[in-house]
Every structure is written in structure tokens, then in C-alpha cells.
Amino acid sequence: MLEEMLPGDDGLLAEPYPAYARLREAGVPHLVTLRSGLYGWLVTRYDDARAALADPRLSKDPRHAPPDWQAAGRGRPLEDRSGLGTHLLTTDPPEHTRLRRLVSGFFTLRRLERLRPRIEERARELAAGLRPGDDLVGDFASPLQFATICDVLGVPEGDRTDFQRWTTAVVSSDSSKEARPQALRRLAAYVGELVEGRRRAPGDDLISVITAAADDGERLSEDELLSMIFLLLVAGYETTVGLIGLGAHTLLRHPGALEQLRARPELIDRAVEELLRHDSPVELATWRFALEPVEYGGARVEAGQPILVALGAANRDPRRFPGADRPDLTREDNAHLSFGHGPHYCLGALLARIVGRAALGEVARLPGLALAVPPERLRWRASLTVRGPVSLPVTFAAG
């Protein structure tokens, strides 16, 4: 039964891929109901997934969702009556094009290469500070990516403790109903101060780029600006931490690959791409809604129906990737879908690759690296979209 092997189920958090293989072999996309009550057409084959990701007949805007979805307030995962639900993941052209253009000026190769030396230096410092038994997620990946996001936004060093406290309260599912709105107000006020400061004295950070674009006639509203930053904090932080955690986990599960990367560090760029393909930190793309009847793999999806593209399943499709269940760090033809495809291709893909390269390069250099707990004791994120271990305690030969 399909309902016995759906993404997001507790029993599939650690190893969803055998279930995805059965779904792929079942043929056409299937209309499924998730444990949460959400339903939609699940796309698992590579060719169908790639087509759906770039299909202009599919909308990211939840206002095109079925009436029962809208009545339940579903579809905008960042929504909390504060305007945070309108962002790059929930808009279509031309609105999506406008929002993307205002921030894309920062995510260029030239600008991001300026961040690379500090990211690599910070990764070395964090790796040097690790001790046997430490957690590669909490003690390494999380602080590395949080500091990177602060660099991107231009948050001064002296403000980062408060900034981290507020953002943690905003994005954490454990926050109380009272704590989250209060933290959001403080975060909004602080971001407003950063914006005003950049108008007076522009820098080379993302907020300066957005502010300059607004001064040239384009403009983000206050809600759009906060939503964009919130999206960076949620999507940019969680997914890159997942990239590092999952990449390290794969290397630990496949010691031959770890030894290969250790012996041939020049493989790091291909290794990052292959680790992304083998275990994508974004397991499923965010919801899409058919604007008109569409067909994928022989299945007809009626207008208004939700579609869920399983990136993790598509990346393991043996029709596209020979030996798909085995990590091959020398793989050359690697057009994985972990960053999406089409107009919604991840804006921060290059930055994620830079951070992932720095982090996983340091992980591979830890001598005698091994899990510090049995694999079955690892805890996994209970999320429909973002995949990764909650923690990854390791042991190694300390220098």
C-alpha cells in the first residue's frame, strides 16, 4: 500500500529510499494522502520531476490550492499572519521575477567568492576545535552556517548573540505562542535598523544590495524584506546544515568513499555534487498547484490539484543515474535536482556549494572518523521538506 511508505513518516526518516524505489517502480505519479492530512500527486521519476519543476502550468502560489487547503490555512509554511508567507517559494512570475531580481545581484560568483576565504577559515577553526564525541551538526555545521548567514546579511559580530536568539525563537517549532511573535517583532525592528544603516553607509552585504535596488526605483515592502530574510534564515540555514550533516553521514556509511576523498582531496567539488545527489537535504520540493490539467508519466492531474516533487526519489532514479544507490565521487554526469530546476532553481546554490565544500573537506581530514553511537540511535528531522540528522556525534583520533 502506498500509504505505508509515504515521505515524512517516522519510519522512513532514516532511510526513505527503498520506499521511493517502490514508488518509482509503481510507474505513474500517484495521488497520496500524507499522515498530516495533506494530499497531492507525488512525482518520483527523474524525467517527470524535472519537467514538473520547470512547468509554467504549475503555480507555487497557494491561492491556487484547492478550497479545502485554503480553508485550513495550508500551503504557506512560513505564514503566521505576519506577511511572512509571501516570498520566493510562494510566488509566480512576474512577482517572483521581481523579487528574485532584487536579491540576485548579491548571489553572483564575484560577490560570493569574496566570502569563500572567511568561510574556509571558519571551517578550519571549527574543525580544529572539535573533540571526540562532539556533534558534527550542533558543534560544526550549525555555527558555520549561522556565521555565514550573518556575514551575508552584514550582522555585526557584537549583535550576533541577540540575532541568533531571536532567529532561533522565530524558526524553532519548539517556541511558545508568546515567544515567537515577540522574537519576530524584535527581529523585524533590528532588520529595520540594519536597512536604515545601509542606506546611510552601504556595504557589500545582501541588505545593502537590496536597499540599493530599492533606491534605484525597485522596492521591497517592509513585509517582503523581512520575509526574504526569514526565508534565508529558514531555507538557507536548514538546508545547508542538512547538506553538511547528510554528506558526513554518507561518508561515514561508505568508508571507501571517505578514504577516496581523503586520498584525493581534488575530488571535493565532484564529491559535494554526488553527496547532494545521493542524499538531498531538500527531500521534497515545496508544493505546486496545477493551473490547468497537466499530465506526467501517463497520469492526468486536474486543475487545482497539489503536486509534490520528490527530489530525493528523482535523484536515485537508476534510469538517469547508473548505480544510483551507491555514492560515486568521480561521477561526471550529475545533473541532480537537489537545488531544483527551472525558474525556481535555488538562488543560494552557489553559496551552499562553497560552504559544503569547505565543511566536508574538513570532515574528510578528521583521522579515524567514525560514528560515536550506533546508527539506529541517530535522530532525524521530522520534516516533510528538509532532511538531515538532528545530531551526528562522531569519534576520531584527536591530534
Side-chain angles (χ1 to χ4, degrees):
M1 294 291 293
L2 291 176
E3 277 71 15
E4 294 174 354
M5 50 183 179
L6 294 177
D9 288 356
D10 291 345
L12 297 179
L13 293 177
E15 187 56 48
Y17 295 103
Y20 280 140
R22 292 193 291 273
L23 286 166
R24 280 195 310 268
E25 291 309 310
V28 299
H30 293 273
L31 184 61
V32 297
T33 300
L34 306 182
R35 300 297 186 205
S36 63
L38 296 177
Y39 63 90
W41 290 86
L42 188 65
V43 178
T44 56
R45 290 189 173 184
Y46 180 90
D47 288 344
D48 294 336
R50 194 171 189 273
L53 291 171
D55 196 334
R57 300 172 297 172
L58 303 185
S59 171
K60 299 293 292 290
D61 189 336
R63 288 175 295 184
H64 294 293
D68 54 343
W69 271 57
Q70 297 191 41
R74 291 168 169 160
R76 291 184 184 267
L78 306 184
E79 184 86 59
D80 67 346
R81 298 190 181 91
S82 63
L84 293 181
T86 303
H87 47 76
L88 288 173
L89 297 183
T90 60
T91 53
D92 302 320
E95 185 65 9
H96 175 267
T97 307
R98 179 183 73 89
L99 293 175
R100 191 177 180 99
R101 185 172 62 248
L102 284 170
V103 297
S104 61
F106 178 83
F107 293 96
T108 63
L109 178 62
R110 179 180 61 84
R111 285 183 183 274
L112 296 182
E113 282 295 334
R114 294 178 186 174
L115 295 176
R116 186 190 294 271
R118 181 62 184 121
I119 291 171
E120 293 177 343
E121 178 186 17
R122 190 177 284 121
R124 286 193 297 271
E125 292 171 350
L126 287 167
L130 290 172
R131 296 294 177 265
D134 281 353
D135 171 18
L136 283 183
V137 174
D139 298 319
F140 180 66
S142 289
L144 175 61
Q145 181 59 3
F146 180 78
T148 299
I149 287 177
C150 285
D151 289 344
V152 166
L153 295 177
V155 178
E157 291 283 350
D159 295 346
R160 294 189 178 188
T161 299
D162 286 338
F163 189 75
Q164 183 169 24
R165 185 173 71 253
W166 298 331
T167 54
T168 299
V170 169
V171 304
S172 175
S173 59
D174 297 329
S175 297
S176 68
K177 292 183 178 180
E178 297 77 21
R180 192 170 188 268
Q182 184 180 41
L184 183 60
R185 287 193 296 272
R186 291 181 176 176
L187 181 61
Y190 179 75
V191 170
E193 293 173 5
L194 286 180
V195 170
E196 290 305 314
R198 296 306 184 277
R199 287 199 174 108
R200 293 190 299 269
D204 200 30
D205 52 75
L206 177 60
I207 292 179
S208 294
V209 170
I210 295 174
T211 302
D215 290 343
D216 287 339
E218 297 283 352
R219 184 167 297 279
L220 284 177
S221 69
E222 183 177 341
D223 282 348
E224 286 173 337
L225 178 58
L226 183 58
S227 182
M228 191 73 69
I229 293 169
F230 188 71
L231 178 64
L232 175 66
L233 292 168
V234 175
Y237 173 79
E238 300 282 5
T239 56
T240 304
V241 170
L243 185 167
I244 299 168
L246 285 170
H249 180 257
T250 297
L251 292 173
L252 287 164
R253 291 184 63 188
H254 298 271
L258 176 58
E259 288 304 318
Q260 183 181 36
L261 183 57
R262 194 171 280 154
R264 298 180 59 191
E266 71 275 9
L267 287 176
I268 186 62
D269 289 326
R270 283 191 195 174
V272 169
E273 298 306 312
E274 178 65 353
L275 294 172
L276 279 163
R277 182 204 65 81
H278 184 265
D279 211 351
S280 172
V282 181
E283 185 175 357
L284 298 109
T286 50
W287 292 98
R288 285 164 164 78
F289 308 95
L291 297 174
E292 60 184 77
V294 295
E295 185 174 309
Y296 300 110
R300 179 180 170 89
V301 180
E302 299 297 338
Q305 288 289 291
I307 292 177
L308 194 60
V309 180
L311 304 179
N315 283 342
R316 294 279 192 103
D317 190 338
R319 299 166 186 82
R320 178 61 182 82
F321 301 104
D325 288 328
R326 174 180 55 84
D328 177 4
L329 304 192
T330 65
R331 191 184 299 273
E332 295 184 18
D333 180 13
N334 201 348
H336 63 75
L337 300 176
S338 295
F339 291 121
H341 175 65
H344 287 275
Y345 183 82
C346 177
L347 194 61
L350 177 57
L351 180 60
R353 286 180 165 111
I354 291 173
V355 177
R357 183 188 191 282
L360 293 171
E362 293 299 327
V363 167
R365 280 189 278 272
L366 294 172
L369 186 66
L371 272 176
V373 297
E376 60 272 16
R377 286 183 55 191
L378 292 177
R379 293 187 302 117
W380 293 82
R381 288 181 54 84
S383 169
L384 183 64
T385 303
V386 181
R387 173 170 159 73
V390 174
S391 62
L392 196 65
V394 295
T395 184
F396 56 93

